Amino acid sequence: MKPSIVPRPKVEQRPYDRMPARPLGEAAAGARDRPFLRTAFALHMPPGHEVPPVDEVVVIRRMDGKNGELAWMSDGRTFCYGKVREGYSSYTCDQLPEKAPAPGLLLMLPGESDRVTSEDNAAEARSVHFVIAEGGPQRFDHVKPGKGMGPVHQAVARFPSGRMVTFLTYDYPERGYEFAPEAEICRRDQKVCFPIPY
């Protein structure tokens, strides 16, 4: 008598777009961003990642001609986030976690310093945080922010499937910052929120 074959349960995989996302509106890199992108991509990319085509680069924050923050997603699972300050660029490239950190959110990266610090400029350093949220262009903003908290910068990208993601950055002083216990960042409809710091 043959042993009965028990079928294995199907593993449900999260659906991921296979094509890259493209920036919407002001998030698209234009002629004014050429010096910024030159500086951003002057250094080597993280292993396994390449400089993206310009039409895939999402400019989250323009500080001046050569400083700011950018991101891109070469597919629905892979992200890269970079920031440029004073001729120095840094990148984080990885896969989105399988489990969302909170409803409506895909990724929350803890802050990194916005500059190479020394004793001379340590008091000016700010911690820059990066978040990827589901959905389109609804605004995110602070709810009861602490003193010295920078504004929320955001930019939207859309995949060919129509799915949209929002890239967010915000910052605060690395030294002497006091967090308000109820401080958080929320989407305008209050359906997506996350605490500061997370």
Side-chain angles (χ1 to χ4, degrees), residues 169-183:
T169 63
Y170 66 94
D171 61 71
Y172 50 78
E174 283 193 353
R175 288 191 177 182
Y177 185 76
E178 292 184 22
F179 293 99
E182 64 279 14

Side-chain angles (χ1 to χ4, degrees), residues 66-130:
K66 292 188 178 180
N67 295 286
E69 290 141 19
L70 67 156
W72 65 94
M73 292 186 76
S74 54
D75 57 52
R77 182 84 197 277
T78 309
F79 75 90
C80 282
Y81 159 65
K83 63 182 181 302
V84 182
R85 297 290 191 279
E86 300 165 5
Y88 170 78
S89 61
S90 65
Y91 289 98
T92 299
C93 293
D94 207 341
Q95 302 283 302
L96 293 178
E98 279 294 338
K99 187 174 179 188
L105 299 176
L106 297 172
L107 177 82
M108 300 168 74
L109 282 185
E112 290 182 352
S113 181
D114 69 344
R115 66 191 66 219
V116 177
T117 56
S118 67
E119 283 304 314
D120 295 333
N121 70 359
E124 300 167 20
R126 298 181 70 81
S127 181
V128 182
H129 294 248
F130 175 67

Side-chain angles (χ1 to χ4, degrees), residues 30-65:
R32 65 182 167 171
D33 298 305
R34 283 186 193 134
F36 169 52
L37 296 183
R38 262 197 306 274
T39 305
F41 297 127
L43 298 178
H44 294 291
M45 295 296 298
H49 296 274
E50 298 177 356
V51 172
V54 172
D55 66 344
E56 293 176 20
V57 175
V58 179
V59 181
I60 306 167
R61 181 182 184 192
R62 294 171 174 93
M63 297 174 69
D64 56 38

